[in-house]
Amino acid sequence: MEREKALEVVKKQLTEHRYQHTLGVMETAIELSERFNADVKKAETAAIFHDYAKFRPKDEMKQIIIDQHMPSDLLIHNTELWHAPVGAYLVKTEVGIEDEEILDAIRFHTSGREEMTQLEKVIFVADYIEPGRHFPGVEEGRELAKQDLNDALIYALRNTIMFLAKKNHAIYPDTLRTYNFLIFEKMGEF
Amino acid sequence: MEREKALEVVKKQLTEHRYQHTLGVMETAIELSERFNADVKKAETAAIFHDYAKFRPKDEMKQIIIDQHMPSDLLIHNTELWHAPVGAYLVKTEVGIEDEEILDAIRFHTSGREEMTQLEKVIFVADYIEPGRHFPGVEEGRELAKQDLNDALIYALRNTIMFLAKKNHAIYPDTLRTYNFLIFEKMGEF
């Protein structure tokens, strides 16, 4: 899909603030794709649509999770996790994007998964470090993403884990699974 | 088993430093059992033997994990986790303790598990806060353990999770599972 057309479609689904975030993720995802050899055009499309479902009513998202047999543990965990898999579903059914690599990048952009593709990693990290993000540690994430996509991804995941633990919130098991997988993979490298 | 006899048996397995730690866990476990209605005598025995396998050679522990069909993911995670399930096995086979509640308290004193018994929680928390422990935050753990055993347990687990994440170490999935279970249980209380 043409960039301008895609942006026009997604703009209607988002607040102005979230649309600006989406533009930031798009620019960052393109940059990371060039640096780390992911498909630039697919990264652009996945970035544009990654938050497509962000403002859908929780009831609608819940129903889609149930009807589409998505992992049921989503329902007991933070509702912030829902827009990623629900987004992949809606981008396919409402927008008509059928490329499974793009849909997976949307699907796993919040939890991650074991054995992520380069495209999935690019979208995950771009979402974390895009220029509109301001939180303690985001600069270190940006620095890591200049050198090593896995290190930036590990950094984002461990910060998420620490943030949730510090607040006594539950931690989604797939987030931990992704983190552990990357740590073990990295240990194997040494 | 008589306290003096049990201490004599375990002393041979431990360094002097670890034996002193064991005495601290024993005193704390007795105190917590009285406060939170666990079996005081079982807590004493479980505390005395909780680190029984701590100084066994890694090769021996690994072989026991394999031969006794213990969870195989232990083998890829930190070897510090091994002495708990291996300890339960050796305390049964070498010392002759057959009480499954005591053995489970030894087995799960490092990872925890979902639906822990009061005795298991007492040993886990006592191990974390006994008077010989000195690390940032241990005082808060002690304070929590005066009021609420679950809060103290959540505190110990989340500190462990944060400590490992901060060091970019893998986190044992059962540790997270225990933490999440307690968080969800607590949310249900409100």
Side-chain angles (χ1 to χ4, degrees), chain A residues 76-77 154-155 158 161-162 164-173 176-177 179-180 183-184 186-187, chain B residues 76-77 154-155 158 161-162 164-173 176-177 179-180 183-184 186-187:
Chain A
I76 58 165
H77 279 275
I154 289 171
Y155 182 77
R158 59 88 99 149
I161 290 167
M162 287 170 67
L164 293 169
K166 195 168 184 176
K167 292 180 77 166
N168 274 12
H169 287 181
I171 297 163
Y172 192 52
L176 185 81
R177 210 169 284 134
Y179 169 79
N180 278 344
I183 293 290
F184 286 131
K186 195 175 161 74
M187 281 163 64
Chain B
I76 58 165
H77 279 275
I154 290 171
Y155 182 77
R158 59 88 98 147
I161 290 167
M162 287 171 67
L164 293 169
K166 195 166 185 179
K167 292 179 78 167
N168 274 13
H169 287 182
I171 297 162
Y172 192 52
L176 185 81
R177 210 169 285 133
Y179 169 79
N180 279 344
I183 293 290
F184 286 131
K186 194 176 161 75
M187 282 163 63

Coordinates of all heavy atoms in Angstrom, one line a residue, chain A residues 76-77 154-155 158 161-162 164-173 176-177 179-180 183-184 186-187, chain B residues 76-77 154-155 158 161-162 164-173 176-177 179-180 183-184 186-187:
Chain A
I76 N -6.4 -12.2 31.1 CA -6.2 -11.8 32.5 C -5.0 -10.8 32.6 O -4.8 -10.3 33.7 CB -5.9 -13.1 33.3 CG1 -4.7 -13.9 32.8 CG2 -7.1 -14.0 33.4 CD1 -4.1 -14.9 33.8
H77 N -4.3 -10.6 31.5 CA -3.2 -9.6 31.6 C -3.6 -8.2 31.2 O -4.7 -8.0 30.7 CB -2.0 -10.2 30.8 CG -1.2 -11.2 31.6 ND1 -0.2 -10.8 32.5 CD2 -1.3 -12.5 31.6 CE1 0.3 -11.9 33.0 NE2 -0.3 -13.0 32.5
I154 N 16.7 -6.4 23.9 CA 16.9 -6.9 25.3 C 16.7 -5.8 26.2 O 16.0 -5.9 27.3 CB 18.3 -7.6 25.4 CG1 18.4 -8.9 24.7 CG2 18.6 -7.8 26.9 CD1 19.8 -9.5 24.6
Y155 N 17.3 -4.6 25.9 CA 17.2 -3.5 26.8 C 15.7 -3.0 27.0 O 15.3 -2.8 28.1 CB 18.0 -2.3 26.2 CG 18.0 -1.1 27.0 CD1 18.8 -1.0 28.1 CD2 17.3 0.0 26.6 CE1 18.9 0.2 28.9 CE2 17.3 1.2 27.4 CZ 18.1 1.3 28.5 OH 18.1 2.4 29.3
R158 N 13.9 -5.8 29.1 CA 14.3 -5.9 30.6 C 13.8 -4.6 31.3 O 13.4 -4.7 32.4 CB 15.8 -6.1 30.8 CG 16.7 -5.1 30.2 CD 17.0 -4.0 31.1 NE 18.2 -4.2 31.8 CZ 18.9 -3.1 32.2 NH1 18.6 -1.9 31.9 NH2 20.0 -3.3 32.9
I161 N 10.2 -5.3 32.0 CA 10.0 -6.3 33.1 C 10.3 -5.6 34.4 O 9.5 -5.7 35.4 CB 11.0 -7.4 32.9 CG1 10.6 -8.3 31.7 CG2 11.2 -8.3 34.2 CD1 11.6 -9.3 31.2
M162 N 11.4 -4.7 34.5 CA 11.7 -4.0 35.7 C 10.6 -3.0 36.1 O 10.3 -2.9 37.3 CB 13.1 -3.4 35.6 CG 14.2 -4.3 35.6 SD 15.8 -3.6 35.2 CE 16.1 -2.5 36.6
L164 N 7.4 -3.1 35.4 CA 6.2 -3.8 35.9 C 6.4 -4.4 37.3 O 5.6 -4.3 38.1 CB 5.8 -4.9 34.9 CG 5.3 -4.4 33.5 CD1 5.1 -5.5 32.5 CD2 3.9 -3.6 33.7
A165 N 7.6 -5.0 37.5 CA 7.9 -5.6 38.8 C 8.0 -4.5 39.8 O 7.4 -4.7 40.9 CB 9.3 -6.3 38.7
K166 N 8.6 -3.4 39.5 CA 8.7 -2.3 40.5 C 7.3 -1.8 40.9 O 7.1 -1.4 42.1 CB 9.5 -1.1 39.9 CG 9.9 -0.1 40.9 CD 11.0 0.8 40.2 CE 11.5 1.8 41.3 NZ 12.6 2.6 40.8
K167 N 6.3 -1.8 40.0 CA 5.0 -1.4 40.3 C 4.1 -2.5 40.8 O 2.9 -2.3 41.0 CB 4.4 -0.7 39.0 CG 5.0 0.6 38.6 CD 4.4 1.1 37.4 CE 3.1 1.8 37.7 NZ 2.6 2.7 36.5
N168 N 4.7 -3.6 41.1 CA 3.9 -4.8 41.5 C 2.8 -5.1 40.5 O 1.6 -5.5 40.9 CB 3.3 -4.6 42.9 CG 4.3 -5.0 44.0 OD1 5.5 -5.2 43.8 ND2 3.8 -5.0 45.2
H169 N 3.1 -5.0 39.2 CA 2.1 -5.5 38.2 C 2.5 -6.8 37.7 O 3.7 -7.2 37.7 CB 2.1 -4.5 37.1 CG 1.4 -3.2 37.4 ND1 1.3 -2.2 36.5 CD2 0.8 -2.7 38.6 CE1 0.6 -1.2 37.1 NE2 0.4 -1.5 38.3
A170 N 1.5 -7.6 37.2 CA 1.8 -8.9 36.6 C 2.7 -8.6 35.3 O 2.6 -7.5 34.7 CB 0.5 -9.6 36.2
I171 N 3.5 -9.6 35.0 CA 4.4 -9.5 33.8 C 3.9 -10.6 32.8 O 3.8 -11.8 33.2 CB 5.8 -9.7 34.2 CG1 6.3 -8.6 35.1 CG2 6.7 -9.8 32.9 CD1 7.5 -8.9 35.9
Y172 N 3.6 -10.2 31.6 CA 3.1 -11.2 30.6 C 4.2 -12.3 30.3 O 5.3 -11.9 30.0 CB 2.7 -10.5 29.3 CG 1.9 -11.3 28.4 CD1 0.8 -12.0 28.8 CD2 2.3 -11.5 27.0 CE1 0.1 -12.8 27.9 CE2 1.6 -12.2 26.1 CZ 0.4 -12.9 26.6 OH -0.3 -13.7 25.7
P173 N 3.9 -13.6 30.5 CA 4.9 -14.6 30.3 C 5.6 -14.6 29.0 O 6.8 -14.9 28.9 CB 4.1 -15.9 30.4 CG 2.9 -15.5 31.3 CD 2.6 -14.1 30.9
L176 N 8.6 -12.3 29.2 CA 9.8 -13.0 29.8 C 10.4 -14.0 28.9 O 11.6 -14.2 28.8 CB 9.3 -13.7 31.1 CG 10.5 -14.3 31.8 CD1 11.3 -13.2 32.6 CD2 10.1 -15.4 32.7
R177 N 9.5 -14.8 28.2 CA 10.0 -15.8 27.3 C 10.9 -15.2 26.2 O 12.0 -15.8 25.8 CB 8.8 -16.5 26.6 CG 9.1 -18.0 26.3 CD 7.8 -18.7 25.9 NE 7.0 -19.0 27.1 CZ 5.6 -18.8 27.2 NH1 5.0 -18.3 26.2 NH2 5.0 -19.1 28.3
Y179 N 12.5 -12.3 26.3 CA 13.7 -11.9 27.0 C 14.7 -13.0 27.3 O 15.9 -12.9 26.9 CB 13.3 -11.2 28.3 CG 14.5 -10.9 29.2 CD1 15.3 -9.8 29.0 CD2 14.7 -11.7 30.4 CE1 16.4 -9.5 29.9 CE2 15.8 -11.4 31.2 CZ 16.6 -10.3 31.0 OH 17.6 -10.0 31.8
N180 N 14.2 -14.1 27.9 CA 15.1 -15.2 28.2 C 15.7 -15.8 26.9 O 16.9 -16.1 26.9 CB 14.3 -16.3 28.9 CG 14.2 -16.1 30.4 OD1 14.9 -15.3 31.0 ND2 13.3 -16.8 31.0
I183 N 18.6 -13.7 25.8 CA 19.7 -13.8 26.7 C 20.5 -15.1 26.5 O 21.7 -15.1 26.4 CB 19.2 -13.7 28.2 CG1 18.6 -12.3 28.5 CG2 20.3 -14.1 29.2 CD1 19.6 -11.2 28.6
F184 N 19.7 -16.2 26.3 CA 20.4 -17.5 26.0 C 21.1 -17.4 24.7 O 22.2 -17.9 24.5 CB 19.4 -18.6 26.1 CG 18.9 -19.0 27.5 CD1 17.6 -19.1 27.8 CD2 19.8 -19.2 28.5 CE1 17.1 -19.4 29.1 CE2 19.4 -19.5 29.8 CZ 18.1 -19.6 30.1
K186 N 22.3 -14.9 23.2 CA 23.5 -14.0 23.3 C 24.6 -14.8 24.1 O 25.8 -14.7 23.7 CB 23.1 -12.8 24.1 CG 24.1 -11.6 24.1 CD 23.5 -10.4 24.8 CE 24.5 -9.4 25.2 NZ 25.1 -8.7 24.0
M187 N 24.2 -15.5 25.1 CA 25.2 -16.3 25.8 C 25.9 -17.3 24.9 O 27.1 -17.5 25.0 CB 24.6 -17.1 27.0 CG 24.3 -16.2 28.2 SD 23.1 -17.0 29.4 CE 24.1 -18.4 29.9
Chain B
I76 N 19.2 -25.4 31.8 CA 19.6 -24.2 31.1 C 19.6 -22.9 31.9 O 20.2 -21.9 31.5 CB 18.8 -23.9 29.8 CG1 17.3 -23.7 30.0 CG2 19.0 -25.1 28.8 CD1 16.6 -23.1 28.9
H77 N 19.0 -23.0 33.1 CA 18.9 -21.8 34.0 C 20.1 -21.9 35.0 O 20.8 -22.9 35.1 CB 17.6 -21.7 34.6 CG 16.6 -21.0 33.7 ND1 16.4 -19.7 33.5 CD2 15.7 -21.6 32.8 CE1 15.5 -19.4 32.6 NE2 15.1 -20.5 32.1
I154 N 5.8 -11.6 47.7 CA 5.8 -10.8 46.5 C 7.0 -9.9 46.4 O 7.7 -9.8 45.3 CB 4.5 -10.0 46.4 CG1 3.3 -10.9 46.1 CG2 4.6 -8.9 45.3 CD1 1.9 -10.1 46.2
Y155 N 7.3 -9.3 47.5 CA 8.5 -8.4 47.6 C 9.8 -9.1 47.2 O 10.6 -8.6 46.4 CB 8.5 -7.8 49.0 CG 9.6 -6.8 49.1 CD1 9.5 -5.5 48.6 CD2 10.8 -7.1 49.8 CE1 10.5 -4.6 48.8 CE2 11.8 -6.2 50.0 CZ 11.7 -4.9 49.5 OH 12.7 -4.0 49.6
R158 N 9.7 -10.1 43.4 CA 9.9 -9.0 42.5 C 11.3 -8.4 42.6 O 11.9 -8.0 41.6 CB 8.8 -7.9 42.6 CG 8.7 -7.2 44.0 CD 9.6 -6.1 44.1 NE 8.9 -4.8 43.8 CZ 9.3 -3.7 44.4 NH1 10.3 -3.7 45.3 NH2 8.7 -2.6 44.1
I161 N 13.4 -10.7 40.5 CA 13.1 -10.5 39.1 C 13.9 -9.2 38.6 O 14.6 -9.2 37.6 CB 11.6 -10.4 38.8 CG1 10.9 -11.7 39.0 CG2 11.3 -9.8 37.4 CD1 9.4 -11.7 39.0
M162 N 13.8 -8.2 39.4 CA 14.4 -6.9 39.1 C 15.9 -7.0 39.1 O 16.6 -6.5 38.2 CB 14.0 -5.8 40.0 CG 12.5 -5.4 39.7 SD 11.9 -4.2 41.0 CE 12.9 -2.8 40.7
L164 N 17.8 -9.7 38.6 CA 18.2 -10.5 37.4 C 18.1 -9.7 36.1 O 19.0 -9.7 35.3 CB 17.4 -11.8 37.3 CG 17.7 -12.8 38.4 CD1 16.7 -14.0 38.4 CD2 19.1 -13.4 38.4
A165 N 17.0 -9.0 36.0 CA 16.8 -8.2 34.7 C 17.8 -7.1 34.6 O 18.4 -6.9 33.5 CB 15.4 -7.6 34.7
K166 N 18.1 -6.5 35.7 CA 19.1 -5.4 35.7 C 20.5 -5.9 35.3 O 21.2 -5.2 34.7 CB 19.2 -4.8 37.2 CG 19.9 -3.5 37.2 CD 19.6 -2.8 38.5 CE 20.3 -1.4 38.5 NZ 20.0 -0.7 39.7
K167 N 20.8 -7.1 35.7 CA 22.1 -7.7 35.3 C 22.0 -8.4 34.0 O 23.0 -9.1 33.6 CB 22.5 -8.7 36.4 CG 22.9 -8.0 37.7 CD 23.3 -9.0 38.8 CE 24.7 -9.5 38.6 NZ 25.2 -10.2 39.7
N168 N 20.9 -8.3 33.2 CA 20.8 -9.0 32.0 C 21.0 -10.5 32.1 O 21.6 -11.2 31.3 CB 21.7 -8.5 30.9 CG 21.2 -7.3 30.2 OD1 20.2 -6.7 30.6 ND2 21.8 -6.9 29.1
H169 N 20.4 -11.1 33.2 CA 20.4 -12.5 33.4 C 19.1 -13.1 33.0 O 18.1 -12.4 33.2 CB 20.8 -12.9 34.8 CG 22.2 -12.7 35.2 ND1 22.8 -13.0 36.4 CD2 23.2 -12.2 34.4 CE1 24.0 -12.6 36.4 NE2 24.4 -12.2 35.2
A170 N 19.0 -14.3 32.7 CA 17.8 -15.0 32.4 C 17.0 -15.1 33.7 O 17.6 -15.1 34.8 CB 18.0 -16.4 31.9
I171 N 15.7 -15.1 33.6 CA 14.8 -15.2 34.8 C 14.0 -16.6 34.7 O 13.4 -16.8 33.7 CB 13.8 -14.0 34.8 CG1 14.6 -12.7 35.0 CG2 12.8 -14.2 36.0 CD1 13.8 -11.5 34.7
Y172 N 14.1 -17.4 35.8 CA 13.4 -18.7 35.7 C 11.9 -18.5 35.6 O 11.3 -17.8 36.4 CB 13.8 -19.5 36.9 CG 13.4 -21.0 36.9 CD1 13.8 -21.7 35.8 CD2 12.7 -21.6 37.9 CE1 13.5 -23.1 35.7 CE2 12.4 -22.9 37.8 CZ 12.8 -23.7 36.7 OH 12.5 -25.0 36.6
P173 N 11.3 -19.1 34.6 CA 9.9 -18.9 34.3 C 9.0 -19.2 35.6 O 8.0 -18.5 35.8 CB 9.5 -19.9 33.2 CG 10.8 -20.0 32.4 CD 11.9 -20.0 33.5
L176 N 8.6 -16.2 37.7 CA 7.6 -15.3 37.2 C 6.2 -15.8 37.5 O 5.3 -15.0 37.8 CB 7.8 -15.0 35.7 CG 6.9 -13.9 35.2 CD1 7.4 -12.6 35.5 CD2 6.6 -14.1 33.7
R177 N 6.1 -17.1 37.2 CA 4.7 -17.7 37.4 C 4.2 -17.5 38.8 O 3.1 -17.2 39.1 CB 4.8 -19.2 37.0 CG 3.6 -19.8 36.5 CD 3.8 -21.1 35.9 NE 4.5 -21.1 34.6 CZ 5.5 -21.9 34.2 NH1 6.0 -22.7 35.1 NH2 6.1 -21.7 33.0
Y179 N 5.2 -15.2 41.0 CA 5.0 -13.8 41.2 C 3.6 -13.4 40.6 O 2.8 -12.8 41.3 CB 6.1 -13.0 40.5 CG 5.9 -11.5 40.4 CD1 6.0 -10.7 41.5 CD2 5.5 -10.9 39.2 CE1 5.8 -9.3 41.4 CE2 5.3 -9.6 39.0 CZ 5.4 -8.8 40.1 OH 5.2 -7.4 40.0
N180 N 3.4 -13.7 39.3 CA 2.1 -13.4 38.7 C 0.9 -14.0 39.4 O -0.1 -13.3 39.6 CB 2.1 -13.9 37.2 CG 2.8 -13.0 36.3 OD1 3.1 -11.8 36.6 ND2 3.1 -13.5 35.1
I183 N 0.2 -11.9 42.4 CA -0.3 -10.6 42.0 C -1.8 -10.7 41.7 O -2.6 -9.9 42.1 CB 0.5 -10.0 40.9 CG1 1.9 -9.7 41.3 CG2 -0.2 -8.7 40.3 CD1 2.1 -8.5 42.2
F184 N -2.1 -11.7 40.9 CA -3.5 -11.9 40.5 C -4.4 -12.2 41.7 O -5.5 -11.7 41.8 CB -3.6 -13.0 39.4 CG -3.2 -12.6 38.1 CD1 -2.3 -13.4 37.3 CD2 -3.6 -11.4 37.5 CE1 -1.8 -13.0 36.1 CE2 -3.1 -11.0 36.2 CZ -2.2 -11.8 35.5
K186 N -3.9 -11.3 44.7 CA -4.0 -10.1 45.5 C -5.0 -9.1 44.9 O -5.8 -8.5 45.6 CB -2.6 -9.4 45.6 CG -2.5 -8.3 46.6 CD -1.1 -7.8 46.7 CE -1.0 -6.5 47.3 NZ -1.1 -6.5 48.8
M187 N -5.0 -9.1 43.5 CA -6.0 -8.2 42.8 C -7.4 -8.7 43.1 O -8.3 -7.9 43.3 CB -5.7 -8.2 41.3 CG -4.5 -7.3 40.9 SD -3.9 -7.7 39.2 CE -5.4 -7.3 38.3

